[in-house]
Amino acid sequence: MKKKENTSRQTAFHRIATTALSLLFLTTVQAQRESKTINDSWKFLQGECPTAIDSAFNDANWTSVHLPHTWNTDAYTEKDYYRGTGWYRRQISIPQSWKEKQIFLKLDAASKAATIYINGKKVGEHTGGYTACTLDITPFCSLNTPNSLAVCVDNSRQDIPPISGDFTFFGGIYRDVWLTAVSKQHFHLTNYGSEGIFISTPKVSEEKGTILIRGDIKNDATQKALLELEHIIYHPNGSIAQSLKQSIQIKAGEQYSFRSETSPILSPQLWTPETPHLYRVESILRDKKTKTVLDQSNHYTGFRWFSFDGERGFSLNGKPYKLRGICRHQDQKPIGVALTDEMHRRDIKLMKEMGANFIRISHYPQDDALLEMCDKLGMLAWEEIPIIDIVPDTPGYTENCERNLREMIRQHYNHPSIITWGYMNEILLVTQRLYKKEEELKPILERTLALANRLEVVLKEEDTTRVSTMAFHGSNSYNEVGLGSITDIVGWNLYQGWYGGNLTGFEQYLEEQHKKYPSHPMIVSEYGAGSDKRLHSLQPHAFDFSIEYQQKYLEHYLPVLEETSYICGGTHWNFIDFSSALRDESMPRINNKGLVYSNRTPKDIYYYYKAAWRQDIPVLHIASRDWTHRSGIQHGKEPVILPVKIYTNLPEVELFIDGKSLGKQKTKNFAVTFEVPFCQKEHFIAAKAENRKAVQDISFVEDGIRLNFTPIPANLNGTNLRDLELAINVGSYCFYTSDESNLTWLPDQPYTENGWGYIGGESKSSQIQIKNTNDGPLFQTLRNGIEGYRFDVPNGVYEIEFLFTDIFRENAITVYQLGRNSDVENRENRFDIIINDQTIEESFSSCRESDYFHALRKRYNITNFRNKIEIRFSVRNGKSFLNGIKLRKLY
Ligand code: GCB
Ligand code: CA
């Protein structure tokens, strides 16, 4: 009896649940388009596995992954990161409610190529690692059983750009994957991965603007369709501005192209980075008779116009406007390019916060989330495809370039933030490096020009509302071979004062170009210098990777960009410290020219830009977050004077040390530097500035920071040696603070009486990665031909440690260092090491003990009877050298 009751209750519950479900079901039938991510529950295998396409294939042993995913986190440790295939598998169940629907699969990005299979059959292939592809998978899917989806991804293909470049070609499905169901009549979703709707503003001024909406509708049904298409235009405040309606008839299996322009919208709210007003276009497709909504799509657009001019630079909405920009790569250590949407959005927020109004989306199309933020927060954009360094003659390459260009333009066409499309970066760099002879060079130049001409035509075919750009490296040959006259805008990637030459070479180069080609609109599409938080210098120079040289370099470049009226603007290289697996330098596998670290913590230099670019808020930043462990040589009890810089947009700054004022100083070029006396372990530094908005409206802005200080006595004695670890970065002007021990290695100095220092030799450095250590920069600098080292210290028992790395072997150096380091001689070095006349090493060879470019540390305990430690290097072969030295008094 009880049992029966139970059963009937269950049946009743079941009935209610079913009704509720079918109600839900009904509403979903009514809903126009259903889209959802399928990022979860994937299985992944790195390597080849053709049988994975079979439905019955057992992938239980594969790794479970969640998208976005890349298999190349190895690129942060390995130069030779994995390039090959990777397989992804997943089941997809199609709900019964999709029975009458058309089903699409969209991959936002799989690098570089993806072949897609469903239930053992090939659905399609996409070539290009930075653009989306959409496939109609309806005929491949079954409604009754789960469908097996397999995707083979390959990041080794040489027929797909990029094939060369200073960044890592991460492999994998590293953006979202979407499943979409829509009625048989729908917008053309397989149009080069776009939404099939293209919006522009053919007429736009302060008085009025019109919106043009173009696109295609497909009828995938077996009967003709009578449809109604409506576009509703919404003002930025959400009220309806206009609506456009038309009736359409499409035969079974056919396609219809629509094109409608609104009547003028009066006094449109213009889109600018400062006022990013967006108008919404809602496109609705209905059944003409039943009025059932079949498909629906929303897009933002904006009213703005712009021009690039060789003399006057850039203007926006009729007013001169300086493009204050940055370039942006898309990775983040340690996850590679598998970023979530919110990470992309965070980057745009950080750039806006800094005051940027322009982004060069380099060197390839990036996530939709990024573009959405450019529109919404207000950031003009240049987007490009990755044709870099050289044009190969690989069959299929040209076609892939062309298709990737069309995809980028169609996929991101509707974003008002985009003003220019690019398609080549430094295309002669590797070309000229590899082919020196005229007759070898000729066919490659012809190929390059042919591709540029073809892409320029494609670009204009796709989009007449924007302009084209290329980025050149600092060589006039781009103009000589004819590339300069193909694109609308010339981008210059300039590194005077970094890879070579002087800082002032920068403005000289621009002037020369402007004189020669006064009608060329120019952007400085790259400029930058590397920096490493562990390195600091009071005498910064190019390629020391000190935080201070990057600051010096950018403090020179930015005013030139701001003050040269014919320059449209600049895009700093790069916003982030990014992954470039081939690079060595101070942080192997990382190009460290970022304004923010890989984890997006701003470097101090970020605030220089912020001070210069943000006029709307007061900026005051003590530029020493990157240098919190200070050290310096102290004479007696005198404090050590060290510079502390403040970045600010306020006219005058007062600085305090532990509450005591050091006076006020006027700001110059958004910076003020105080000479600050350091004398104790920790100091509190505070900066204060008056923010005067009006006579009656004055407030104060403050910043404060705690800095650690380790004094190093200039003259060493029994007392001050007791707790001292005297560590010297031999061959370098830089302080080096180890991440691992926090110990600071001091800049080297020549020996003077009663002190310590080197005797003889000259400083030398290498940019090659040093193995066996995480303190690479310490070993990359050395004193070549050093005769000796001397410490004037009292008698006692000491520990002496030598740091060696033999760099005297030619080494393949990457093309991206533009010839730096090629002056290293090949030689074998052997020398004796003698301390206070006692030979401690005979015929010592660093590379024999620990190989070339390997760190070697050797420690000795010695007893000093002479009130000095005198070290001599006596050469047997080649030259003597020393990379670092450390002294501790034990007893
Ligand atoms: C360039 C390249 C860029 C590099 C940069 C650099 O000119 O266009 O891809 O990363 O220089 O840091 O050397
Ligand atoms: Ca050194």
Side-chain angles (χ1 to χ4, degrees):
M1 187 65 193
K2 243 187 178 172
K3 206 178 171 192
K4 218 177 177 182
E5 216 182 78
N6 237 340
T7 321
S8 61
R9 210 177 287 149
Q10 270 170 8
T11 321
F13 175 76
H14 184 78
R15 220 177 287 134
I16 296 165
T18 329
T19 325
L21 261 178
S22 55
L23 270 174
L24 243 175
F25 178 71
L26 265 179
T27 48
T28 48
V29 168
Q30 286 285 322
Q32 332 74 30
R33 192 195 285 187
E34 284 179 64
S35 267
K36 60 175 181 184
T37 56
I38 46 165
N39 290 340
D40 60 306
S41 316
W42 288 85
K43 288 286 195 172
F44 171 71
L45 176 86
Q46 185 166 313
E48 222 5 295
C49 188
T51 50
I53 68 171
D54 298 337
S55 309
F57 181 85
N58 182 355
D59 57 23
N61 296 330
W62 289 19
T63 315
S64 295
V65 298
H66 194 287
L67 305 184
H69 173 259
T70 175
W71 61 66
N72 278 128
T73 48
D74 60 344
Y76 291 108
T77 50
E78 309 299 318
K79 212 173 238 194
D80 194 15
Y81 60 99
Y82 178 75
R83 265 154 294 178
T85 51
W87 283 82
Y88 293 83
R89 289 188 98 253
R90 188 195 196 275
Q91 301 295 311
I92 40 178
S93 299
I94 305 295
Q96 287 295 331
S97 59
W98 288 9
K99 196 170 172 201
E100 298 299 323
K101 303 257 171 162
Q102 212 65 15
I103 304 164
F104 297 92
L105 178 73
K106 184 177 184 209
L107 274 66
D108 278 352
S111 174
K112 291 180 175 178
T115 315
I116 298 105
Y117 305 87
I118 291 181
N119 299 330
K121 289 205 191 80
K122 180 173 166 180
V123 182
E125 190 196 18
H126 181 253
T127 48
Y130 305 89
T131 44
C133 79
T134 306
L135 300 161
D136 183 347
I137 59 168
T138 322
F140 298 89
C141 292
S142 140
L143 252 62
N144 306 317
T145 49
N147 300 276
S148 88
L149 168 63
V151 185
C152 176
V153 183
D154 184 345
N155 70 334
S156 68
R157 296 258 304 250
Q158 290 300 306
D159 58 335
I160 304 170
I163 52 148
S164 175
D166 176 30
F167 60 101
T168 304
F169 308 154
F170 289 93
I173 307 181
Y174 71 93
R175 290 185 194 150
D176 298 319
V177 174
W178 297 87
L179 209 52
T180 296
V182 68
S183 308
K184 292 287 170 196
Q185 294 81 27
H186 54 86
F187 294 110
H188 186 12
L189 292 178
T190 51
N191 183 349
Y192 284 84
S194 74
E195 294 247 323
I197 294 177
F198 305 96
I199 299 166
S200 56
T201 52
K203 295 188 198 78
V204 50
S205 68
E206 275 184 34
E207 289 77 43
K208 53 181 183 263
T210 63
I211 297 175
L212 174 67
I213 307 145
R214 293 176 294 129
D216 297 291
I217 295 164
K218 280 191 91 177
N219 178 11
D220 280 320
T222 46
Q223 314 88 33
K224 73 165 189 223
L226 275 175
L227 308 169
E228 178 185 280
L229 172 64
E230 186 179 21
H231 303 293
I232 309 174
I233 321 293
Y234 298 87
H235 284 297
N237 70 6
S239 66
I240 292 180
Q242 271 182 44
S243 85
L244 303 165
K245 231 186 230 178
Q246 72 181 109
S247 295
I248 295 169
Q249 191 174 334
I250 319 182
K251 288 198 191 126
E254 294 205 343
Q255 199 167 306
Y256 175 89
S257 300
F258 60 88
R259 181 192 174 91
S260 20
E261 188 170 341
T262 65
S263 54
I265 294 170
L266 300 181
S267 307
Q269 285 181 269
L270 300 183
W271 186 96
T272 71
E274 294 71 37
T275 57
H277 298 304
L278 293 172
Y279 285 75
R280 177 157 77 102
V281 179
E282 185 181 24
S283 301
I284 309 163
L285 190 66
R286 296 191 188 89
D287 183 293
K288 175 125 173 93
K289 246 208 238 129
T290 64
K291 302 288 180 208
T292 315
V293 174
L294 302 170
D295 198 3
Q296 190 178 25
S297 190
N298 279 288
H299 297 271
Y300 279 121
T301 189
F303 288 106
R304 88 280 183 274
W305 71 99
F306 57 85
S307 69
F308 287 90
D309 187 275
E311 289 294 348
R312 292 187 303 273
F314 180 73
S315 48
L316 183 64
N317 300 334
K319 297 183 193 94
Y321 193 93
K322 191 62 93 175
L323 294 170
R324 295 172 161 168
I326 56 268
C327 300
R328 190 245 189 191
H329 263 302
Q330 65 177 358
D331 71 292
Q332 180 169 335
K333 195 177 175 179
I335 59 172
V337 289
L339 266 61
T340 58
D341 284 359
E342 52 267 31
M343 293 165 89
H344 295 293
R345 289 194 283 267
R346 168 209 52 197
D347 282 359
I348 297 292
K349 285 183 203 158
L350 271 172
M351 293 169 193
K352 270 304 273 190
E353 175 64 28
M354 190 177 79
N357 59 28
F358 185 46
I359 176 174
R360 176 177 174 211
I361 302 174
S362 51
H363 288 306
Y364 39 75
Q366 296 186 19
D367 204 288
D368 292 340
L370 192 93
L371 272 305
E372 182 195 332
M373 288 312 266
C374 288
D375 293 347
K376 287 189 172 160
L377 293 187
M379 185 82 89
L380 292 154
W382 150 354
E383 193 168 34
E384 66 193 25
I385 55 167
I387 306 177
I388 302 167
D389 294 342
I390 187 166
V391 176
D393 58 357
T394 321
Y397 182 81
T398 311
E399 289 70 25
N400 284 327
C401 291
E402 181 179 327
R403 199 167 13 73
N404 286 172
L405 181 62
R406 287 193 199 279
E407 287 172 338
M408 171 179 75
I409 297 178
R410 294 196 193 181
Q411 289 169 22
H412 290 160
Y413 185 90
N414 295 339
H415 294 284
S417 48
I418 295 179
I419 50 176
T420 177
W421 306 111
Y423 53 78
M424 277 181 186
N425 182 69
E426 302 192 344
I427 205 64
L428 298 181
L429 182 76
V430 171
T431 308
Q432 290 174 334
R433 198 85 24 104
L434 289 183
Y435 304 97
K436 303 266 186 223
K437 291 199 205 111
E438 175 90 44
E439 66 272 18
E440 289 172 344
L441 201 57
K442 206 171 158 244
I444 302 164
L445 289 181
E446 279 167 10
R447 192 157 80 216
T448 308
L449 282 166
L451 180 60
N453 278 312
R454 179 166 171 185
L455 294 178
E456 184 68 23
V457 170
V458 169
L459 192 148
K460 295 291 157 61
E461 240 170 60
E462 290 292 326
D463 192 351
T464 53
T465 72
R466 294 177 174 101
V467 292
S468 60
T469 329
M470 280 193 224
F472 301 152
H473 73 277
S475 151
N476 194 46
S477 43
Y478 289 90
N479 291 314
E480 287 153 17
V481 305
L483 284 164
S485 53
I486 296 177
T487 47
D488 297 323
I489 308 165
V490 171
W492 286 112
N493 299 347
L494 299 176
Y495 290 93
Q496 287 86 353
W498 181 249
Y499 289 118
N502 303 322
L503 291 174
T504 49
F506 172 57
E507 54 267 32
Q508 280 159 18
Y509 191 86
L510 294 176
E511 267 164 47
E512 272 165 38
Q513 277 299 318
H514 183 58
K515 248 189 223 136
K516 275 195 195 135
Y517 307 96
S519 63
H520 267 177
M522 292 194 278
I523 293 184
V524 177
S525 38
E526 287 182 24
Y527 64 99
S531 72
D532 183 328
K533 203 182 183 164
R534 300 169 298 173
L535 289 161
H536 291 280
S537 181
L538 303 175
Q539 299 149 270
H541 54 266
F543 251 77
D544 63 10
F545 292 91
S546 70
I547 287 287
E548 290 67 31
Y549 189 76
Q550 185 193 33
Q551 294 179 355
K552 180 176 173 174
Y553 175 102
L554 296 177
E555 286 169 27
H556 178 85
Y557 270 62
L558 189 62
V560 175
L561 288 170
E562 291 284 326
E563 286 154 25
T564 312
S565 56
Y566 59 82
I567 293 296
C568 297
T571 41
H572 173 268
W573 188 260
N574 190 280
F575 188 61
I576 63 167
D577 280 0
F578 65 92
S579 162
S580 178
L582 289 178
R583 239 176 222 273
D584 281 359
E585 301 178 340
S586 82
M587 289 154 67
R589 319 282 83 80
I590 297 287
N591 182 320
N592 55 17
K593 298 192 183 70
L595 299 180
V596 303
Y597 295 99
S598 177
N599 69 5
R600 273 53 167 186
T601 305
K603 297 182 186 177
D604 286 322
I605 188 67
Y606 171 99
Y607 296 91
Y608 170 60
Y609 279 87
K610 188 172 177 183
W613 284 351
R614 292 292 299 263
Q615 277 115 30
D616 54 331
I617 52 163
V619 176
L620 180 75
H621 174 87
I622 300 175
S624 200
R625 265 68 176 185
D626 292 330
W627 195 5
T628 49
H629 285 77
R630 301 285 191 121
S631 185
I633 295 171
Q634 187 171 31
H635 294 270
K637 292 229 161 7
E638 289 293 297
V640 178
I641 307 295
L642 291 172
V644 172
K645 193 192 284 184
I646 294 97
Y647 285 132
T648 184
N649 55 8
L650 297 168
E652 196 177 57
V653 179
E654 181 169 9
L655 198 75
F656 301 84
I657 180 163
D658 306 315
K660 233 184 84 210
S661 175
L662 295 172
K664 290 180 181 174
Q665 275 194 54
K666 296 250 180 290
T667 306
K668 244 175 81 188
N669 188 18
F670 307 98
V672 180
T673 302
F674 283 86
E675 297 299 325
V676 177
F678 286 80
C679 57
Q680 63 202 42
K681 253 188 171 164
E682 198 185 86
H683 284 291
F684 183 72
I685 309 288
K688 191 172 169 188
E690 197 181 279
N691 181 27
R692 185 190 291 258
K693 287 188 207 132
V695 191
Q696 299 296 333
D697 186 1
I698 300 172
S699 58
F700 286 92
V701 185
E702 285 170 312
D703 188 25
I705 184 178
R706 253 170 235 295
L707 296 181
N708 303 296
F709 177 67
T710 311
I712 306 293
N715 305 109
L716 303 168
N717 58 43
T719 319
N720 63 30
L721 267 168
R722 202 170 298 140
D723 296 319
L724 188 69
E725 191 151 357
L726 179 59
I728 300 145
N729 182 5
V730 176
S732 173
Y733 294 115
C734 287
F735 295 90
Y736 174 80
T737 304
S738 168
D739 269 349
E740 290 168 336
S741 63
N742 265 342
L743 178 67
T744 296
W745 298 68
L746 299 172
D748 204 1
Q749 60 178 32
Y751 167 75
T752 50
E753 222 181 298
N754 295 324
W756 49 269
Y758 66 78
I759 298 161
E762 55 188 18
S763 48
K764 177 132 200 92
S765 64
S766 169
Q767 297 311 325
I768 295 176
Q769 176 180 10
I770 311 299
K771 301 276 173 60
N772 277 357
T773 180
N774 290 323
D775 291 324
L778 195 52
F779 294 87
Q780 284 171 326
T781 51
L782 54 85
R783 207 141 180 98
N784 191 20
I786 188 168
E787 289 158 33
Y789 217 95
R790 183 164 159 173
F791 301 93
D792 289 344
V793 286
N795 289 345
V797 181
Y798 286 84
E799 174 190 274
I800 296 181
E801 186 165 9
F802 295 102
L803 274 57
F804 293 109
T805 288
D806 195 329
I807 61 159
F808 297 96
R809 190 184 63 178
E810 268 179 48
N811 206 286
I813 183 83
T814 116
V815 64
Y816 304 108
Q817 291 182 335
L818 304 164
R820 276 198 171 260
N821 237 48
S822 49
D823 62 332
V824 167
E825 347 140 43
N826 252 334
R827 61 167 209 241
E828 206 213 318
N829 304 295
R830 273 184 295 110
F831 46 90
D832 297 348
I833 305 173
I834 303 145
I835 303 181
N836 285 354
D837 289 333
Q838 193 191 338
T839 303
I840 53 155
E841 289 293 333
E842 251 177 66
S843 206
F844 162 74
S845 161
S846 166
C847 68
R848 225 181 294 153
E849 282 190 29
S850 157
D851 208 346
Y852 290 99
F853 303 106
H854 278 64
L856 173 64
R857 295 177 73 146
K858 291 172 86 70
R859 203 153 64 201
Y860 303 86
N861 286 355
I862 61 131
T863 307
N864 171 16
F865 299 111
R866 296 186 177 181
N867 278 313
K868 67 181 181 198
I869 297 174
E870 205 171 7
I871 299 155
R872 283 194 298 118
F873 302 100
S874 169
V875 176
R876 301 249 181 152
N877 197 67
K879 279 184 183 172
S880 51
F881 63 87
L882 180 67
N883 306 58
I885 195 165
K886 189 146 69 68
L887 181 80
R888 275 195 325 131
K889 187 168 190 291
L890 301 179
Y891 306 101

